[in-house]
């Protein structure tokens, strides 16, 4: 893409999008010409340094809100499901490992704990059923 094409594209973008391109996060891959064109458009619009800081702060806040909270505990539905499906060891261990490796360490630990509680519940039900069968025979 030519530099003039970048300049035309940047002229149509809102301020937030310009700052998003002009100050990319690690891992965002913008062409150097696009970054230069975004910065030139910011200068052409006469956005002050204070306004720029506020826009970058707003972009940062928006990104933070979009990111899933990694240290959030397991929901009530998740706790119930962990106990109910604890008998399915293979799939539950897969879920725990996936949560852990995706960065949800707290949820993985909660899932493992509630899975253990569920297994103890199934064990107690089994013992109660065997006792009942023994008593009735």
């Amino acid at each position: 893409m030519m530099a003039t094409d970048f300049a035309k594209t940047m002229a149509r973008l809102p301020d937030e999008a310009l700052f998003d391109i002009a100050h990319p996060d690690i891992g965002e891959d913008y062409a150097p010409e696009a970054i230069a064109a975004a910065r030139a458009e910011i200068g052409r619009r006469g956005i002050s340094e204070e306004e720029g800081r506020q826009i970058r702060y707003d972009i940062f806040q928006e990104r933070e809100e979009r990111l899933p909270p990694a240290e959030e505990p397991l929901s009530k539905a998740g706790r119930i499901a962990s106990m109910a499906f604890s008998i399915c060891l293979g799939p539950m261990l897969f879920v725990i490992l996936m949560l852990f490796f995706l960065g949800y360490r707290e949820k993985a630990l909660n899932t493992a704990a509630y899975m253990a509680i569920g297994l103890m519940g199934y064990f107690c039900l089994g013992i109660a059923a065997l006792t009942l069968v023994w008593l009735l025979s």
Side-chain angles (χ1 to χ4, degrees):
M1 189 176 257
M2 303 287 292
T4 55
D5 293 338
F6 278 124
K8 288 177 186 175
T9 301
M10 298 304 160
R12 291 190 302 261
L13 294 177
D15 294 345
E16 294 81 10
L18 284 175
F19 275 93
D20 202 20
I21 295 169
H23 305 285
D25 280 341
I26 294 172
E28 291 182 334
D29 193 23
Y30 291 110
E33 297 85 9
I35 294 171
R39 290 180 178 167
E41 180 62 24
I42 289 168
R44 190 187 69 70
R45 291 183 187 183
I47 298 172
S48 72
E49 188 64 33
E50 182 59 35
E51 290 172 319
R53 271 195 294 272
Q54 183 60 44
I55 290 171
R56 283 194 297 272
Y57 178 75
D58 292 343
I59 290 170
F60 174 77
Q61 289 294 93
E62 181 182 317
R63 285 181 183 158
E64 285 295 310
E65 290 171 3
R66 283 187 293 191
L67 293 176
E71 293 304 316
E72 195 172 278
L74 199 60
S75 68
K76 185 175 185 178
R79 293 190 302 260
I80 292 169
S82 296
M83 287 189 284
F85 294 112
S86 62
I87 199 76
C88 307
L89 288 177
M92 286 304 294
L93 291 176
F94 176 76
V95 167
I96 292 169
L97 288 174
M98 289 308 298
L99 286 170
F100 188 81
F101 287 120
L102 289 174
Y104 297 100
R105 186 174 184 273
E106 186 68 24
K107 289 184 184 216
L109 294 174
N110 288 163
T111 302
Y114 283 100
M115 185 178 146
I117 293 169
L119 286 172
M120 285 187 286
Y122 282 120
F123 179 75
C124 290
L125 281 174
I127 296 296
L130 288 175
T131 304
L132 188 60
V133 167
W134 178 72
L135 287 174
L136 294 176
S137 59

